[in-house]
Amino acid sequence: TVVVNRLLEFIDQEHDKNFFAFSFLDAPHGYKLPAGEKAHFQPALEQVNYLELDNDYDPEPFLNLYKSAIYYNDRLLGQVYKKLAERDLLDNTVVIVTSDHGQEFNDLHNNYWGHNSNFSEYQVRVPLIIRWPGKDPAQFNSTTSHEDIIPSLLSEGHSCKNKISDYSTGFSLFDEASIPEKRNLLLANWNNKAIFTGKTYYNFASYGGMEILDRNYQRLDEQKIDQQLVQQQLLKMSQYLK
């Protein structure tokens, strides 16, 4: 609430120039609700005991706590949206709502919980909602990435004429035809990196090892390595380094 109140105060100021504001709402990340806030989805845990989590643990109360934290955040976002409307800023302000990662609740029955433990779709798939003044509502069905946000902003919002490849490995979300139908995604967490082809994962551990897994995070020991694909994707990691 404190974070959103500061954002609301900032929006309420007089802005004679363009402004940028960023707010990170942490409730779903920590599975926390403020004091006095009852979980909207029941039954729900009051507190997570990570030592109890295993393959036999019922995920529903944990998942309901997470969903309730998101529900709480949705209400906070509603306050921000209302403030933008009150200040007549919605017609000239781009609003982006997304997340840094998802959360897994043993969805693959491999005893993975939370985030930062693997690159399964449950941990890396996130919402991306953009309200762009003057653009009609649309749903993008292509495979997208966080790296597409900057190209979208620069090409559409700042009239950047450079080729996107001059500064990014992403694509503009408003040029969906330019996004490859079969797209390989670079994924990373604090320790490891991965390439997701849409069907398989090439996982690179920090100690230098590599393994190939399917979409259910099962090892494919007999899978032939596509060396060209790996080389192309690894080169992207240093493409703009000098």
Side-chain angles (χ1 to χ4, degrees), residues 95-99 125-131 138-140 144-149 152 173:
V95 180
I96 300 176
V97 179
T98 189
S99 178
R125 186 186 293 271
V126 298
L128 176 58
I129 303 169
I130 301 176
R131 187 189 187 279
Q139 180 173 320
F140 292 85
T144 60
S145 168
H146 283 112
E147 61 185 347
D148 299 331
I149 294 176
S152 302
L173 295 170

Side-chain angles (χ1 to χ4, degrees), residues 143-207:
T143 299
T144 60
S145 168
H146 283 112
E147 61 185 347
D148 299 331
I149 294 176
I150 293 300
S152 302
L153 288 172
L154 288 182
S155 62
E156 291 291 319
H158 295 278
S159 302
C160 180
K161 301 301 181 184
N162 287 59
K163 293 184 301 181
I164 289 174
S165 60
D166 286 347
Y167 59 86
S168 174
T169 55
F171 302 89
S172 171
L173 295 170
F174 301 109
D175 184 13
E176 193 172 6
S178 70
I179 302 177
E181 184 176 349
K182 295 182 179 179
R183 182 179 183 183
N184 302 311
L185 295 178
L186 287 171
L187 307 170
N189 59 23
W190 292 112
N191 305 306
N192 306 310
K193 296 178 175 61
I195 300 168
F196 181 49
T197 69
K199 293 182 178 180
T200 57
Y201 293 91
Y202 288 79
N203 278 10
F204 301 89
S206 56
Y207 56 79

